[in-house]
Amino acid sequence: MPPVCSSPVALSRRLSVAPMMDCTDRHARYLLRLISRHTLLYTEMVTAQALLRGDPDYLIGYSPAEHPVALQLGGSDPTQLRRAAGIGADFGYDEINLNIGCPSDRVQAGRFGACLMAEPNLVGDCVAAMQAAVQLPVTVKCRIGIDRSDQDEDLFHFVEAVAASGCRQFTVHARKAWLDGLSPRENREIPPLRYDTVHRLKRLRPDLEIVINGGIVDLEQALAHLRQVDGVMIGRAAYHSPWILAPADRLIFGDDASSPNRAEVLEHYLEYLQSQFSMGTPLTALSRPLLGLFQGEPGARAWRRTLSETAPQTDDAAVLLRAARRVVPDADRRAASIG
C-alpha cells in the first residue's frame, strides 16, 4: 500500500537534488533528508510503461520521511503518462516531473527523454494529460537544446509550446544534448554550460518558475544563480558529497531551526540501515549512500574503502558497522556506537 503522509515542510524548488539513475534511490533520499529538511528530492526516472506493468510498491515506494519528494516519469504516450501520474499522486508524491532531458540511446529508442525536445506539441499533450489526472504540480525537466537545434530561440519555442498546455515550472539543464555520438556521461560534461540562456529564459518569462541545473557543485554557486532564477538543482555533487547540503536550510531557505550534526545524521541512518536490512534489503544498497558522507574529512578514504569492501562480503549488518566504526573520524565516532 502507498504511504499515507503529508509533507513536513512546504514544497519549495529553491534548492533540489536532481533525479539520477542508480543514485537517487530511496536510501540515498533518506540520507539526504536527514541532512536537509527543505531541499526537494527527486526519484530516479521511472518509465510510465514500467509503472503500469510492474509493481508500484517496488518501483516507487518510499519512506514518509522523504517529503518533500517528487516522482520523475519518462514516456511519450499521454494516456500512459496520465495513468502513471495518477499512481504517483495516489502514493502521496508532492510533484510529478516529466523527463525531457535524458539523452541515452535506450531512452531514445523508447521515444522519450531529450529527443522529445524536437516534439514540443507532444510534450504539451503529455503534460496536459497528466495535469488532468492529478491535483499536483506537473513539471518538466529539459535541456537547453538538442543536436544542432540549440539556439536560445529553440529553447524558448519549446518552453512556449509546453507552457501553453498549462505547465508553469521548468527545470533546465544548461547544456544541450547530443543524441548521436556522446554517451550520457559525456553529455553531462562535454557540451558547454550556457547559464546565460537559462537566465534569459527567466527574464523573458517571469511568470514561469525556472530552475537551473548543470555543473553546480556547492551552495555558493547556488546562491549566485538564485539572483537570476527561481531555483537551483544540484546533481552528482550532492550524491558524492552529501554534506554540502548541511547549510542549505539556513542559507537557502532561511530556516535557522535546522542545524544538522554529522554524527547524529550517521546515527539515524544506521538505525534506518538496520531496519531495512532486517526486511531483506542488501547491505550494498544500504551502505552506498554513506560513501561520501565524510568527503573532505580525515579518514574519508578509509571509510569509503571499508564500506565498499565489507558490504559485498557479509550478510550481517553488525559486521559492516563494526568495520566502519574502526575508521570513522574521531569527531564522529560516537555515531557509530550502533551495532
Side-chain angles (χ1 to χ4, degrees):
M1 294 294 293
V4 178
C5 53
S6 58
S7 299
V9 297
L11 183 152
S12 169
R13 298 181 187 85
R14 280 181 61 79
L15 184 69
S16 56
V17 175
M20 294 174 282
M21 297 300 295
D22 301 320
C23 293
T24 51
D25 62 17
R26 61 185 301 174
H27 313 304
R29 297 194 306 268
Y30 191 93
L31 176 65
L32 293 172
R33 180 57 67 227
L34 290 172
I35 297 171
S36 170
R37 291 180 64 242
H38 293 272
T39 301
L40 176 60
L41 305 177
Y42 283 79
T43 69
E44 302 170 274
M45 182 188 68
V46 179
T47 68
Q49 187 176 69
L51 188 54
L52 297 177
R53 293 182 175 180
D55 178 1
D57 288 304
Y58 174 77
L59 291 170
I60 63 171
Y62 65 98
S63 166
E66 294 173 38
H67 285 290
V69 59
L71 170 64
Q72 187 183 66
L73 295 174
S76 60
D77 183 306
T79 300
Q80 290 184 349
L81 285 166
R82 174 182 57 78
R83 293 171 57 200
I87 295 172
D90 289 342
F91 265 67
Y93 279 94
D94 300 296
E95 173 190 311
I96 308 294
N97 179 263
L98 181 60
N99 183 325
I100 310 293
C102 183
S104 77
D105 292 341
R106 180 180 62 83
V107 166
Q108 288 183 62
R111 198 189 172 205
F112 57 96
C115 65
L116 289 180
M117 290 200 71
E119 300 184 71
N121 292 331
L122 174 58
V123 176
D125 291 342
C126 292
V127 168
M130 296 161 73
Q131 288 177 325
V134 303
Q135 299 299 311
L136 305 174
V138 175
T139 66
V140 166
K141 186 175 188 294
C142 63
R143 294 279 185 140
I144 58 172
I146 54 173
D147 299 333
R148 288 175 175 79
S149 299
D150 65 340
Q151 299 302 304
D152 287 4
E153 288 67 25
D154 295 313
L155 171 64
F156 303 157
H157 171 70
F158 172 83
V159 169
E160 288 289 339
V162 179
S165 73
C167 185
R168 313 315 294 166
Q169 296 91 14
F170 292 83
T171 297
V172 185
H173 187 146
R175 286 186 174 95
K176 74 172 182 180
W178 280 108
L179 300 181
D180 185 19
L182 293 183
S183 68
R185 178 175 180 176
E186 291 170 330
N187 263 302
R188 295 194 301 267
E189 300 171 351
I190 293 177
L193 286 160
R194 286 165 38 197
Y195 293 135
D196 287 348
T197 296
V198 186
H199 296 166
R200 185 183 169 203
L201 171 63
K202 177 58 185 178
R203 291 195 297 272
L204 290 175
R205 290 300 306 264
D207 57 310
L208 299 178
E209 186 174 2
I210 304 299
V211 176
I212 195 167
N213 171 230
I216 301 166
V217 299
D218 57 39
L219 297 189
E220 183 178 0
Q221 291 180 352
L223 287 167
H225 282 292
L226 284 170
R227 293 194 287 268
Q228 305 273 354
V229 294
D230 301 297
V232 174
M233 178 178 279
I234 297 181
R236 277 165 173 73
Y239 179 76
H240 293 301
S241 186
W243 202 249
I244 66 171
L245 298 180
D249 290 352
R250 176 174 53 87
L251 294 179
I252 305 295
F253 299 97
D255 183 356
D256 292 327
S258 297
S259 249
N261 174 285
R262 186 152 27 195
E264 293 173 351
V265 166
L266 178 58
E267 182 174 1
H268 288 307
Y269 186 83
L270 293 181
E271 292 173 352
Y272 169 82
L273 181 150
Q274 289 186 310
S275 172
Q276 290 291 311
F277 178 71
S278 69
M279 294 186 289
T281 305
L283 278 177
T284 50
L286 291 164
S287 63
R288 192 180 304 118
L290 287 173
L291 291 173
L293 184 61
F294 295 102
Q295 182 70 24
E297 296 293 318
R301 182 176 298 179
W303 169 261
R304 291 192 301 270
R305 183 175 62 249
T306 298
L307 290 178
S308 298
E309 293 176 354
T310 306
Q313 299 178 17
T314 182
D315 58 0
D316 187 341
V319 171
L320 173 66
L321 300 183
R322 284 195 297 270
R325 181 168 57 232
R326 290 195 293 269
V327 298
V328 74
D330 289 341
D332 300 286
R333 190 177 297 278
R334 71 180 180 85
S337 59
I338 299 175

